[in-house]
Amino acid sequence: MPDLLLELFSEEIPARMQEKVSGDLKKLVTDALAENDVFGEAAVAFATPRRLTLSITGLPAEQPDRREERKGPRVGAPEKALEGFLNSVGLSLDQCETRSDKKGEYYVAVIEKKGQPLPGLIGDIVPQIIRTFPWPKSMRWGEGSLRWVRPLHSILCTFDGEVVPFEVDGIKAGDTTYGHRFMGPAPIKVKRFEDYEKKLHDAKVMLDPALRARTIWEDAKNLAHAQNLELVEDEALLREVAGLVEWPVVLMGKIDERFMDVPGEVLSLSMRENQKYFTLKSADGKMAPRFILASNLIAEDGGAAIINGNERVLRARFADAEFLWQEDKKKSLEKDFLPKLKDVVFHAKLGTVGEKAERVSKLAGELSAFIPGCDKAKAEKAGLLAKADLVSGMVYEFPELQGQMGRYYALAEGLDSGVADAIAEHYRPAGPADDLPEGPVAQAVALADKLDTLTGFWSIDEKPTGSKDPYALRRATLGIIRIVLENDMRLPLRLAVNLPSWGDRSDDLPPFFADRLKVHLREQGARHDLVDAVFALEGQDDLVLIVKRVEALGEFLKTDDGANLLAGFKRAVNILKAEEKKDGRSFDGAVNAGLLKEPEEKALHAALESARSEAARAIEAEDFANAMSALAKLRAPVDAFFDKVTVNAPEAEIRENRLNLLSGIRAATGAVADFSRIEG
């Protein structure tokens, strides 16, 4: 079956756009064909710095014939309505069919459309897609009206090996492309994708970005291993570099030893962001005085001139970084940087970063009491200085290094290593896969920073709504949850959210934590309804205990005893609800043992007394598995009770006593979780 080959050849396309726009081209063309009932077997799209390419295989030679029906006005409708309908379909009244429904007869236009040869259809579709292509940014050039990301030079479009004739802004589609800008710039004639890809490769163009990335990575690793070095993985940088070259040639350069005293994070970030170089590590894990670059040229001198040029540019970059590093080290975090935070606004309604630093310091000190091994004075010191590096010259230049540079400055002026580490780690975790702060001081400051942010924005009613969360409060909450749970931290939630000086947040913040906890536990396989059931208990604000209860409850409900007890609970509660509504009162009084007549109700009463006592002891010992085991013993007596005993006895006092007995089931299970919130 015939194939389509389309190439849009231009000046360099920004690397960050290439993956998306190649996918856009594929979707736009295949969707437009599908709207015309044309489907291929497979479609693949590629991007290089200078071209977008689409290949669709297994297309039909012609568009299939189509039959379209358009419903028209009712028979007897006004003349103008009929005239408008007939004009829109291009038929006369006697060419329309008459059909009936419940409301009477109406006209139907049946339009037969003969399919056109596919080259003609493609010639209609592609120019429109080119003219309206959704570039994030585009430009016009010369006297033309076409907007493209960079000047568009040529269009290659063939179907079944033949050129599809069309023109866009004076550019005629043809069968010609061009190879590498320097190593294969001559025109290349092609017919189909197979010879197109091969001829481009011969002209030093690797069409597939995945192949370019794989080539860069393998060659870089080989160069590194030859020097007993390790390449630092960076998938995002690899994709970007693969979008900068059409024929990657990997080279290794040297870093002057004088710059190796500058923190490795600074050097690595400067290379990555400014020059798109890869970082190398020595066997000891430290940054090596080498870098990897990907050239777009096979040089006659083996790349020596290219390496020298890049080393020269890098020396200038690193000299700037070295200057900032030396200047910043002359200053003190507390004496020089901290006062400047009073001029940095955190939020118009929440004050300055300096004021936030004072709050975080105080809060970190208070939280230290809940974190084993945490020194209060160090926590307060780290909290006060955690944001100080924001006004340093280095962080102004490289905002990504905030926290990390603060650690270096703290160590340089002789501050405690725990304080320095806390400054570096207090932003953690920045996402669900990010590492947690490790030391107790770092944990205290990280919690304090996130709690202050969360409660502060809550106090000014800047809460997340729907998909909007401009201040990343969901992420902050999840970070708090992870720090607490993964460190088995016994931090009462209601106390924690009320420690900051933003007023009482005990009512509306815990439900938000519950929602985030449900998300966190659901990702680990837990059921959201079990979290609801545990959170609903009065005073449940210890996240560690909540999770233990949820886990124990989940395991219990997987057993037959658990599933059947849940069914018995729901039956008991449904009866209670109906009778309480009827009587206008609650049945939660003490059971009168003297009124228990049937063996089954006596057995249930005894089982409830035993289960409640046993479960209470287990809960006190935080042994929730045993608490569930105590409840499991209720399964048989509950089943027997419902099988043999009539709850609504004719005698009023016996009926009330049995309803009070049922409320005992609700009370017994309620010591562990609110079973009414459990699904199933």
Side-chain angles (χ1 to χ4, degrees), residues 328-345:
D328 283 345
K329 283 199 301 179
K330 295 176 183 177
K331 300 179 177 68
S332 162
L333 286 174
E334 187 165 1
K335 294 178 182 177
D336 298 304
F337 291 148
L338 185 61
K340 293 182 180 180
L341 293 182
K342 296 189 181 298
D343 298 324
V344 180
V345 175

CSV table of all heavy atoms in Angstrom, one decimal, residues 328-345:
chain,number,residue,atom,x,y,z
A,328,ASP,N,31.1,35.8,48.3
A,328,ASP,CA,30.1,35.4,49.3
A,328,ASP,C,30.7,34.9,50.6
A,328,ASP,O,30.2,35.0,51.7
A,328,ASP,CB,29.2,34.3,48.7
A,328,ASP,CG,28.2,34.9,47.7
A,328,ASP,OD1,28.0,36.1,47.7
A,328,ASP,OD2,27.6,34.1,46.9
A,329,LYS,N,31.9,34.2,50.5
A,329,LYS,CA,32.5,33.6,51.6
A,329,LYS,C,33.0,34.7,52.6
A,329,LYS,O,33.3,34.4,53.8
A,329,LYS,CB,33.6,32.7,51.2
A,329,LYS,CG,33.2,31.3,50.7
A,329,LYS,CD,34.3,30.3,50.8
A,329,LYS,CE,35.5,30.7,49.9
A,329,LYS,NZ,36.6,29.7,50.0
A,330,LYS,N,33.2,35.9,52.1
A,330,LYS,CA,33.7,37.0,52.9
A,330,LYS,C,32.6,37.5,53.9
A,330,LYS,O,32.9,38.2,54.8
A,330,LYS,CB,34.2,38.1,52.1
A,330,LYS,CG,35.4,37.8,51.2
A,330,LYS,CD,35.7,39.0,50.3
A,330,LYS,CE,36.9,38.7,49.4
A,330,LYS,NZ,37.2,39.8,48.5
A,331,LYS,N,31.4,37.0,53.6
A,331,LYS,CA,30.2,37.5,54.4
A,331,LYS,C,29.7,36.5,55.3
A,331,LYS,O,30.0,35.3,55.2
A,331,LYS,CB,29.1,38.0,53.5
A,331,LYS,CG,29.5,39.1,52.5
A,331,LYS,CD,28.4,39.5,51.6
A,331,LYS,CE,28.7,40.7,50.7
A,331,LYS,NZ,29.7,40.3,49.7
A,332,SER,N,29.0,36.9,56.3
A,332,SER,CA,28.4,36.0,57.3
A,332,SER,C,26.9,35.8,57.0
A,332,SER,O,26.2,36.8,56.7
A,332,SER,CB,28.6,36.6,58.7
A,332,SER,OG,27.7,35.9,59.7
A,333,LEU,N,26.5,34.6,57.2
A,333,LEU,CA,25.0,34.3,57.0
A,333,LEU,C,24.2,35.1,57.9
A,333,LEU,O,23.2,35.7,57.5
A,333,LEU,CB,24.7,32.8,57.2
A,333,LEU,CG,25.2,31.8,56.1
A,333,LEU,CD1,24.9,30.4,56.6
A,333,LEU,CD2,24.4,32.1,54.8
A,334,GLU,N,24.6,35.2,59.2
A,334,GLU,CA,23.7,35.8,60.2
A,334,GLU,C,23.9,37.4,60.2
A,334,GLU,O,22.9,38.1,60.3
A,334,GLU,CB,24.0,35.3,61.6
A,334,GLU,CG,23.0,35.8,62.6
A,334,GLU,CD,23.1,35.0,63.9
A,334,GLU,OE1,23.8,34.0,64.0
A,334,GLU,OE2,22.3,35.3,64.8
A,335,LYS,N,25.1,37.8,60.1
A,335,LYS,CA,25.4,39.2,60.2
A,335,LYS,C,25.2,40.0,58.9
A,335,LYS,O,24.8,41.2,58.9
A,335,LYS,CB,26.8,39.4,60.7
A,335,LYS,CG,27.1,38.9,62.1
A,335,LYS,CD,28.6,39.2,62.5
A,335,LYS,CE,28.9,38.6,63.9
A,335,LYS,NZ,30.3,38.8,64.2
A,336,ASP,N,25.5,39.4,57.8
A,336,ASP,CA,25.4,40.1,56.5
A,336,ASP,C,24.2,39.7,55.7
A,336,ASP,O,23.5,40.6,55.1
A,336,ASP,CB,26.7,39.8,55.7
A,336,ASP,CG,27.9,40.3,56.4
A,336,ASP,OD1,28.0,41.5,56.7
A,336,ASP,OD2,28.8,39.5,56.6
A,337,PHE,N,23.9,38.4,55.5
A,337,PHE,CA,22.8,38.0,54.6
A,337,PHE,C,21.4,38.1,55.3
A,337,PHE,O,20.5,38.5,54.7
A,337,PHE,CB,23.0,36.6,54.1
A,337,PHE,CG,24.2,36.4,53.2
A,337,PHE,CD1,24.9,35.3,53.1
A,337,PHE,CD2,24.5,37.5,52.3
A,337,PHE,CE1,26.0,35.2,52.2
A,337,PHE,CE2,25.6,37.4,51.4
A,337,PHE,CZ,26.3,36.2,51.4
A,338,LEU,N,21.4,37.6,56.6
A,338,LEU,CA,20.1,37.6,57.3
A,338,LEU,C,19.4,38.9,57.3
A,338,LEU,O,18.2,39.0,57.0
A,338,LEU,CB,20.3,37.0,58.7
A,338,LEU,CG,19.0,36.8,59.5
A,338,LEU,CD1,18.1,35.8,58.8
A,338,LEU,CD2,19.3,36.3,60.9
A,339,PRO,N,20.1,40.0,57.7
A,339,PRO,CA,19.4,41.3,57.7
A,339,PRO,C,18.7,41.7,56.4
A,339,PRO,O,17.7,42.4,56.3
A,339,PRO,CB,20.5,42.3,58.1
A,339,PRO,CG,21.4,41.5,58.8
A,339,PRO,CD,21.4,40.2,58.1
A,340,LYS,N,19.3,41.3,55.3
A,340,LYS,CA,18.8,41.7,53.9
A,340,LYS,C,17.5,41.0,53.6
A,340,LYS,O,16.7,41.4,52.8
A,340,LYS,CB,19.8,41.3,52.8
A,340,LYS,CG,21.1,42.1,52.9
A,340,LYS,CD,22.0,41.8,51.8
A,340,LYS,CE,23.3,42.6,51.9
A,340,LYS,NZ,24.3,42.3,50.8
A,341,LEU,N,17.2,39.9,54.4
A,341,LEU,CA,15.9,39.2,54.1
A,341,LEU,C,14.7,40.0,54.5
A,341,LEU,O,13.6,39.7,54.1
A,341,LEU,CB,15.9,37.8,54.9
A,341,LEU,CG,16.9,36.8,54.5
A,341,LEU,CD1,16.7,35.5,55.3
A,341,LEU,CD2,16.7,36.4,53.0
A,342,LYS,N,15.0,41.0,55.4
A,342,LYS,CA,13.8,41.9,55.8
A,342,LYS,C,13.4,42.8,54.6
A,342,LYS,O,12.3,43.4,54.7
A,342,LYS,CB,14.3,42.7,57.0
A,342,LYS,CG,14.5,41.9,58.2
A,342,LYS,CD,14.7,42.8,59.4
A,342,LYS,CE,15.1,41.9,60.7
A,342,LYS,NZ,13.9,41.0,61.0
A,343,ASP,N,14.2,42.8,53.5
A,343,ASP,CA,13.8,43.6,52.4
A,343,ASP,C,13.2,42.7,51.2
A,343,ASP,O,12.9,43.2,50.2
A,343,ASP,CB,15.0,44.3,51.8
A,343,ASP,CG,15.6,45.3,52.8
A,343,ASP,OD1,14.8,45.9,53.5
A,343,ASP,OD2,16.8,45.5,52.9
A,344,VAL,N,13.1,41.4,51.5
A,344,VAL,CA,12.6,40.5,50.5
A,344,VAL,C,11.2,40.0,50.9
A,344,VAL,O,11.0,39.5,52.0
A,344,VAL,CB,13.5,39.2,50.4
A,344,VAL,CG1,13.0,38.3,49.3
A,344,VAL,CG2,15.0,39.6,50.0
A,345,VAL,N,10.2,40.3,50.1
A,345,VAL,CA,8.8,40.0,50.4
A,345,VAL,C,8.6,38.6,50.2
A,345,VAL,O,8.8,38.0,49.1
A,345,VAL,CB,7.9,40.9,49.6
A,345,VAL,CG1,6.4,40.5,49.9
A,345,VAL,CG2,8.1,42.4,49.9
